[in-house]
Amino acid sequence: MSLRDCKKDFPLLVAGEADGAGLVYLDNASTTQKPASVVAAVSEFYETANANIHRGVHSLSERATEMFEGAREKVRSLINAKSLEEIIFTRGTTEAINLVCSTWGEQNISKGDEVLVTALEHHSNFVPWQQLCHRKKAKLVIAPIHEDGTLDMLAFEKLLNEKTKLVAVTMMSNAIGTIVPIKKIVQKVKEVGAVTLVDGAQGVPHMGVDVQDLDCDFLAFSSHKMCGPTGVGVLYGKKALLEKMPPYQFGGDMVKEVFDDHTTWNDLPHKFEAGTPDIANVIGFGAAIDYLSQFSFEEILKHDQDLVQYAREQLASIPKLQLYGPQDVSLAGGIISFNIPGVHPHDVGSIMNSEGVAIRTGHHCAQPLLNRLGCNATARISFYMYNDRTDVNRAVEAIKKVYEIFKVEV
Amino acid sequence: MDMYAENILFHYKNPLHHGELERASITVADSNPLCGDKLEIGLQIENGKIVDAMFSGEGCAISQASASMLLDEVIGKSLDEVKGLEKQFVYDMLGVPLTTNRVKCALLSFVILQQAVNTFES
């Protein structure tokens, strides 16, 4: 199926079109809209199959368990993991990263060790490691970027050494769209024997991933950035590593046997899933994966990059507009960060909103990156599969309105 | 759009009391994590009265205009008068409709001002 007609599958976007002033939703790096099939899967679960999982012997519980575990298989297949034991459901990317930090990190990082991240990281793949390094008297090393926002691979390779124990790197910058050469990074990291954690929050929804091909140790990503419900994320981990890690949280479902003085842990992946998970939304995520499977990630990435190319051409005609990130669209995903001189991005966002265009403004939870780019905040346009050139045109018109209201001298 | 009325844009582009206050009795800075606005306010206080005030930092039109207008209002006021000010005072002063998220921008200078007065007194 072609992406061309997919906008109609998203009720929120269609509802806006009916009154002639359709919402132009360009905040997809924050969260994407949900197709009708995902919304239906969640409500259908509540209406026909709602029960707690794994414990009940009644039919309803068995049905709920089958649906929940069915979603796990869909995730496994999506990222081509070897086994279901390697797929852990979390609340989101952030919790998935924190899980690794609190378990593997606490166990394996010690004084004098180095954790290597890049200047492109989202706070959720930066602050946990920074704090772990503080606790352990280890060193957080930050690989630099070039002026155009691409990763300085030469510097990255030089920073890798025998002290490096973990490399935590994003696939794609959420703030400026830079695509990181993740496969090359994983290969280089293997040479020094360190563990790799890949932040796939942007990369998985927009490029897809094959964890066996990539050969990373951990991968974290979220449902809600790829047409699925909020409140659900995934931690992929290699089985050998997961088996050695202590539990993350304690409670129901993660135990095998509890005695007065000790407890034995459940098998993978349940060892890391304490308490009742977000059952309905995990099932909804399964429906989102089904929806996405009609298309290919090559097609989605090409679509995003074509829109960025078109938008950059349109924006080039607007004087003084400052664009961040790689100019070569093949080096970035569907994200454009920009600033208008003399106008705070927040004001840009407010005015664009009044023109029916939803964008994100601020530091995008990437303050170390923005500091390096020499700004406190940017306005950010981010695309997904349902956006089209009309959306870009509307955004460009809205930006012109900002110039008009703020009387920006051109 | 209503939020960007003449007065807001005027104060944003031509802020009053903008800069560092050399003879400040107290200086307090804070930031708004939503938009990354950073604001610092210095107050010169004599005999329980604000005799001069300046602000510095960067931010959106709402936070900058609000700081400019607020400091102009409170210079000459006693500390007790300033402590008695309500948020509504800021909304009335700005006189433009604010969306939920932008209320924080509008109140940033107000919050810092109250903090400065309270810190000075303790």
Side-chain angles (χ1 to χ4, degrees):
Chain A
M1 194 178 139
S2 152
L3 284 175
R4 201 178 309 141
D5 302 321
C6 74
K7 206 179 214 173
K8 66 170 177 12
D9 299 333
F10 295 78
L12 187 142
L13 299 172
V14 177
E17 278 175 354
D19 58 20
L23 169 71
V24 175
Y25 185 77
L26 297 175
D27 192 16
N28 294 290
S30 295
T31 197
T32 62
Q33 296 304 334
K34 321 303 174 199
S37 60
V38 168
V39 180
V42 173
S43 50
E44 196 184 311
F45 168 75
Y46 282 126
E47 284 169 6
T48 66
N50 179 57
N52 211 331
I53 54 167
H54 296 152
R55 286 289 177 268
V57 292
H58 54 81
S59 308
L60 206 56
S61 174
E62 284 181 349
R63 173 129 190 257
T65 303
E66 277 164 22
M67 291 169 80
F68 183 85
E69 292 302 328
R72 198 189 305 275
E73 168 54 28
K74 288 173 188 177
V75 173
R76 187 209 61 74
S77 164
L78 172 80
I79 63 171
N80 193 30
K82 264 187 202 153
S83 80
L84 289 166
E85 295 163 293
E86 298 180 320
I87 306 296
I88 296 156
F89 285 117
T90 65
R91 279 193 300 130
T93 303
T94 300
E95 192 182 45
I97 296 170
N98 275 276
L99 190 162
V100 177
C101 187
S102 304
T103 57
W104 186 91
E106 286 294 336
Q107 211 174 33
N108 292 284
I109 300 295
S110 43
K111 194 176 171 182
D113 287 345
E114 293 184 2
V115 173
L116 178 58
V117 298
T118 78
L120 293 164
E121 303 312 314
H122 186 283
H123 291 165
S124 62
N125 198 29
F126 190 93
V127 182
W129 309 119
Q130 178 195 60
Q131 296 302 309
L132 178 73
C133 288
H134 281 175
R135 286 198 297 278
K136 300 285 188 173
K137 297 192 167 51
K139 191 175 166 195
L140 181 74
V141 182
I142 306 166
I145 50 169
H146 295 297
E147 212 165 291
D148 70 348
T150 53
L151 185 66
D152 184 340
M153 270 307 284
L154 223 59
F156 179 89
E157 286 176 37
K158 278 187 185 155
L159 290 170
L160 274 175
N161 63 71
E162 71 284 357
K163 287 186 203 158
T164 312
K165 289 290 176 302
L166 174 80
V167 177
V169 183
T170 184
M171 287 173 77
M172 184 191 288
S173 158
N174 70 302
I176 56 173
T178 308
I179 293 172
V180 170
I182 195 71
K183 194 162 179 189
K184 191 174 174 194
I185 284 178
V186 173
Q187 284 166 357
K188 290 285 167 194
V189 174
K190 294 218 169 294
E191 289 170 16
V192 299
V195 163
T196 46
L197 179 141
V198 174
D199 172 358
Q202 301 297 333
V204 175
H206 295 266
M207 303 162 69
V209 72
D210 177 331
V211 289
Q212 292 191 62
D213 176 56
L214 181 59
D215 204 20
C216 59
D217 294 299
F218 297 107
L219 169 77
F221 61 103
S222 296
S223 148
H224 74 97
K225 291 187 199 290
M226 49 193 306
C227 298
T230 52
V232 175
V234 172
L235 172 68
Y236 158 82
K238 280 188 180 163
K239 193 178 162 189
L241 281 168
L242 293 176
E243 277 176 339
K244 283 188 211 148
M245 282 154 55
Y248 172 51
Q249 290 180 332
F250 303 96
D253 218 20
M254 54 78 63
V255 298
K256 195 162 266 176
E257 278 188 285
V258 179
F259 305 91
D260 280 7
D261 61 347
H262 74 285
T263 299
T264 56
W265 313 130
N266 201 344
D267 298 328
L268 289 174
H270 311 295
K271 179 172 108 178
F272 293 105
E273 293 179 353
T276 299
D278 196 342
I279 304 166
N281 283 331
V282 164
I283 290 163
F285 185 31
I289 295 170
D290 287 342
Y291 178 78
L292 288 170
S293 69
Q294 306 172 80
F295 315 100
S296 73
F297 284 106
E298 289 77 19
E299 195 182 358
I300 291 172
L301 181 63
K302 185 177 182 305
H303 164 86
D304 285 357
Q305 289 177 331
D306 284 350
L307 280 182
V308 168
Q309 175 79 45
Y310 178 70
R312 279 185 170 263
E313 282 163 18
Q314 303 299 305
L315 294 172
S317 68
I318 300 179
K320 292 186 178 170
L321 189 95
Q322 190 179 1
L323 289 164
Y324 301 91
Q327 279 190 14
D328 177 349
V329 295
S330 70
L331 300 177
I335 294 171
I336 299 178
S337 245
F338 67 95
N339 266 322
I340 299 170
V343 187
H344 191 281
H346 237 192
D347 297 318
V348 175
S350 282
I351 292 170
M352 289 181 73
N353 176 61
S354 69
E355 299 297 304
V357 181
I359 63 156
R360 175 73 178 267
T361 63
H363 54 53
H364 317 297
C365 299
Q367 283 184 305
L369 171 61
L370 264 60
N371 289 340
R372 282 163 175 80
L373 296 173
C375 59
N376 287 329
T378 71
R380 181 189 72 184
I381 287 170
S382 55
F383 301 115
Y384 204 31
M385 52 198 299
Y386 37 69
N387 290 121
D388 52 32
R389 288 188 173 205
T390 312
D391 295 339
V392 175
N393 295 340
R394 287 271 305 278
V396 171
E397 287 311 308
I399 290 169
K400 287 180 180 163
K401 188 84 181 175
V402 178
Y403 275 68
E404 201 182 299
I405 288 176
F406 270 78
K407 298 185 176 66
V408 179
E409 286 174 24
V410 292
Chain B
M1 147 185 211
D2 297 346
M3 208 192 308
Y4 299 97
E6 287 281 323
N7 63 328
I8 302 288
L9 290 173
F10 178 82
H11 279 271
Y12 175 59
K13 294 193 170 183
N14 314 281
L16 307 171
H17 317 291
H18 190 265
E20 309 270 328
L21 186 59
E22 273 180 27
R23 298 202 293 175
S25 320
I26 180 135
T27 303
V28 170
D30 204 353
S31 60
N32 173 1
L34 180 71
C35 53
D37 290 356
K38 287 173 190 161
L39 210 62
E40 184 178 276
I41 292 180
L43 301 176
Q44 187 186 345
I45 299 168
E46 281 169 19
N47 304 320
K49 215 178 203 183
I50 297 176
V51 296
D52 202 1
M54 297 276 255
F55 79 98
S56 59
E58 48 188 290
C60 66
I62 304 297
S63 73
Q64 298 288 297
S66 175
S68 167
M69 292 158 96
L70 182 65
L71 294 193
D72 203 47
E73 289 279 352
V74 299
I75 292 169
K77 280 195 164 59
S78 73
L79 297 186
D80 285 340
E81 280 176 301
V82 172
K83 280 195 290 180
L85 294 178
E86 303 276 348
K87 289 173 182 171
Q88 191 58 44
F89 177 81
V90 177
Y91 303 148
D92 293 343
M93 178 187 82
L94 292 170
V96 293
L98 296 167
T99 57
T100 320
N101 281 342
R102 302 309 293 274
V103 164
K104 278 184 195 160
C105 311
L107 291 178
L108 183 59
S109 55
F110 178 79
V111 169
I112 296 173
L113 177 70
Q114 296 296 341
Q115 215 181 321
V117 169
N118 287 326
T119 313
F120 177 79
E121 288 199 325
S122 63

